[in-house]
Amino acid sequence: MSLPHAILTALLEKPSSGLDLTRRFDKSIGYFWSATHQQIYRELGKLEAEGHIRALPAEGPTRGQKKSYEVLPAGRAELERWTAAAQDPKPHRDALLLRLRAAAVVGTAGLEADLRRHLDLHRRQLAEYEEIEKRDFPPGNDSAQSRLQHLVLRAGIELETFWTQWLTEALEELPAPGGRVPGGGPAGRVS
């Protein structure tokens, strides 16, 4: 996945200015592909230079007015090419999982508080996704575009559900301070 393709997708959904794109990234695409305001503007310049997008003609004087962009046929073709291309899954890298593995050999001091913090963050994200689902995907909204967008949201809901369940289990598995690692030797040592 790449930022240019995320921007092309957003612009095909609705021609937008850089500021509007930043706001839309904060509310939708950013949940699975984040980008800063500066990254979006930099990428808009590159996409325009490559002939994938163009600034829409201004309705009046342009000084101080934000430019809106639309996707050109070359940009649509690039997005179609990229969408159809095969991609292997990326290896998963997660510092929390590595820290938990390290805790098995050095002890779990301080880990419980961070696991609880992560659990709270994932619960809040899950609640936000579920609210978006209620608001944006009511029963009967059955267009192909809506079904695919809902499918992406459902992936987020399922991932957050997984993390809340897994973190709850991880907290249950932590040894009491000075205790033993469940199924292993003393805390801080793996048999």
Side-chain angles (χ1 to χ4, degrees):
M1 188 182 299
S2 69
L3 182 55
H5 298 104
I7 290 172
L8 287 170
T9 300
L11 289 175
L12 279 169
E13 290 172 346
K14 179 182 177 185
S16 304
S17 68
L19 181 58
D20 293 334
L21 281 172
T22 299
R23 289 178 180 146
R24 288 174 60 207
F25 266 71
D26 288 345
K27 294 179 182 177
S28 62
I29 291 173
Y31 288 123
F32 54 91
W33 192 262
S34 62
T36 66
H37 187 73
Q38 292 83 4
Q39 289 171 318
I40 290 172
Y41 273 94
R42 189 171 37 248
E43 219 41 67
L44 284 170
K46 290 177 186 176
L47 287 167
E48 191 172 25
E50 292 168 354
H52 290 162
I53 65 172
R54 73 175 179 120
L56 291 169
E59 294 176 8
T62 58
R63 186 174 173 90
Q65 189 177 20
K66 58 185 180 182
K67 286 197 280 187
S68 286
Y69 296 89
E70 69 177 353
V71 177
L72 295 170
R76 183 182 213 40
E78 169 53 23
L79 189 59
E80 288 171 353
R81 181 209 60 77
W82 179 78
T83 301
Q87 272 189 345
D88 291 335
K90 300 281 185 214
H92 185 73
R93 294 172 58 175
D94 191 299
L96 181 63
L97 296 177
L98 182 57
R99 289 174 52 225
L100 197 59
R101 177 72 184 252
V105 292
V106 299
T108 60
L111 193 56
E112 181 179 353
D114 201 39
L115 288 173
R116 290 191 186 287
R117 186 180 69 80
H118 276 258
L119 178 57
D120 182 56
L121 292 169
H122 285 287
R123 283 179 175 158
R124 283 190 271 157
Q125 188 65 66
L126 177 58
E128 186 173 346
Y129 285 164
E130 289 172 337
E131 186 59 37
I132 291 169
E133 183 177 41
K134 285 181 205 170
R135 182 190 69 220
D136 294 348
F137 299 99
N141 189 354
D142 206 29
S143 71
Q145 181 178 1
S146 179
R147 285 193 315 269
L148 290 176
Q149 289 171 339
H150 192 196
L151 189 62
V152 172
L153 178 61
R154 290 291 313 154
I157 289 170
E158 294 298 325
L159 285 169
E160 295 304 328
T161 299
F162 163 78
W163 280 112
T164 58
Q165 291 170 348
W166 183 86
L167 285 160
T168 300
E169 182 181 333
L171 284 162
E172 291 168 359
E173 291 292 325
L174 284 181
R180 299 174 66 84
V181 175
R189 224 182 89 213
V190 176
S191 302

